């Protein structure tokens, strides 16, 4: 599973503590999440087998927190959540997940689980997230227009992730992951997001199998 955040995305800092779970922005994010529906999605994907407490909803909350805080390791996640253990119950997390628990959950739950949660939220909230100017009085051709863009997240080497760009003087390219996004011109959030190796061209997003998934 890969959850990425742009290096230019700022940490959420409000008040004295940047790791406070009860902050308004994080609270607003989780208010749109339906625990029962998310757990059911995880169950359909086989992610609830042999699970005692760390269900799909708790897993999602933990990973959202890690992305917002731009954590790079399981150790950082566990340490930060342990420091804020008294505030966890406000967001529906009963206990701090151990590194081994989180590692097992990342391996057990398919990325399809997170994809389906996103698509469900997109279908139910896309009109709310779009601006009034985009929703009202838009010409029909604008509604059919889709915009495709991508950004490359540079990683350590091209040993695992295929490199992109021209060869530098060293003769080696930097490997990375490319994030491809498709957005309807009259909406404010992507309708489809795909992760590939950095060398993948955007044109694959035009394939019928992909566009048929866009609603």
């Amino acid at each position: 599973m890969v959850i990425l955040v742009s290096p230019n995305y700022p940490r959420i800092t409000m008040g004295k503590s940047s790791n406070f779970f009860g902050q308004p922005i994080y609270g607003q994010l989780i208010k749109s999440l339906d625990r029962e529906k998310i757990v059911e999605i995880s169950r359909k994907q086989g992610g609830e087998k042999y699970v005692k407490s760390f269900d799909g909803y708790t897993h999602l909350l933990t990973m959202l927190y890690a992305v917002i805080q731009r954590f790079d390791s399981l150790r950082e996640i566990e340490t930060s959540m342990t420091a804020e253990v008294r505030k966890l119950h406000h967001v529906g997390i009963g206990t701090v997940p151990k590194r081994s628990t989180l590692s097992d959950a990342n391996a057990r739950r398919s990325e399809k689980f997170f994809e389906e949660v996103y698509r469900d939220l997109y279908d139910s909230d896309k009109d709310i997230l779009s601006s009034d100017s985009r929703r009202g009085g838009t010409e029909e051709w604008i509604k059919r227009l889709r915009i495709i863009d991508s950004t490359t997240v540079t990683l350590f080497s091209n040993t695992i992730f295929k490199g992109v760009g021209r060869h530098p003087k060293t003769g080696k390219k930097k490997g990375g992951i490319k994030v491809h996004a498709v957005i309807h011109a009259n909406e404010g959030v992507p309708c489809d997001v795909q992760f590939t190796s950095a060398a993948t061209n955007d044109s694959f997003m035009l394939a019928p199998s992909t566009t048929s998934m866009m609603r």
Side-chain angles (χ1 to χ4, degrees):
M1 180 191 65
V2 179
I3 294 183
L4 300 174
V5 62
S6 169
N8 296 322
Y9 190 90
R11 287 177 182 262
I12 294 179
T13 55
M14 301 175 67
K16 296 181 179 180
S17 172
S18 63
N19 295 331
F20 178 38
F21 263 85
Q23 291 176 15
I25 294 180
Y26 188 82
Q28 291 175 37
L29 285 174
I30 65 175
K31 279 183 179 179
S32 62
L33 303 177
D34 185 324
R35 181 167 198 151
E36 292 184 2
K37 181 182 289 187
I38 290 172
V39 171
E40 180 59 30
I41 291 174
S42 177
R43 185 175 291 111
K44 288 195 306 181
Q45 296 290 341
E48 295 304 305
K49 293 181 179 179
Y50 315 113
V51 172
K52 295 181 178 180
S53 60
F54 199 65
D55 59 17
Y57 178 78
T58 308
H59 190 185
L60 179 63
L61 290 187
T62 302
M63 298 311 294
L64 282 174
Y65 177 66
V67 169
I68 290 172
Q69 296 296 342
R70 294 172 60 190
F71 290 149
D72 298 321
S73 69
L74 299 181
R75 184 185 298 275
E76 282 186 294
I77 298 172
E78 182 185 13
T79 302
S80 177
M81 294 181 71
T82 300
E84 302 294 343
V85 64
R86 294 183 179 180
K87 307 182 180 81
L88 295 179
H89 70 277
H90 292 298
V91 294
I93 299 179
T95 58
V96 175
K98 300 296 183 182
R99 278 175 287 166
S100 58
T101 300
L102 187 52
S103 177
D104 291 342
N106 287 340
R108 180 178 63 252
R109 287 194 177 93
S110 167
E111 70 280 0
K112 293 294 182 182
F113 159 65
F114 296 95
E115 177 183 346
E116 191 168 339
V117 170
Y118 179 85
R119 290 189 182 281
D120 181 77
L121 287 171
Y122 168 77
D123 289 338
S124 60
D125 297 332
K126 61 181 179 180
D127 292 335
I128 299 174
L129 295 172
S130 299
S131 66
D132 292 336
S133 61
R134 284 173 175 162
R135 290 202 302 267
T138 304
E139 295 184 23
E140 191 60 33
W141 71 270
I142 288 290
K143 295 180 180 179
R144 297 196 304 269
L145 178 63
R146 296 185 177 100
I147 302 170
I148 300 176
D149 197 11
S150 63
T151 183
T152 301
V153 181
T154 303
L155 299 175
F156 35 87
S157 70
N158 64 351
T159 304
I160 300 176
F161 300 98
K162 191 174 181 182
V164 67
R166 295 181 179 180
H167 286 284
K169 292 181 180 179
T170 59
K172 296 181 179 180
K173 298 179 181 180
K174 288 186 177 180
I177 295 175
K178 184 174 285 188
V179 184
H180 307 263
V182 180
I183 187 171
H184 290 272
N186 67 317
E187 295 178 358
V189 293
C191 63
D192 193 23
V193 179
Q194 300 285 338
F195 297 90
T196 68
S197 67
T200 304
N201 190 278
D202 291 345
S203 60
F204 88 98
M205 296 293 282
L206 300 173
S209 59
T210 301
T211 55
S212 63
M213 297 170 59
M214 303 175 195
R215 296 185 287 271

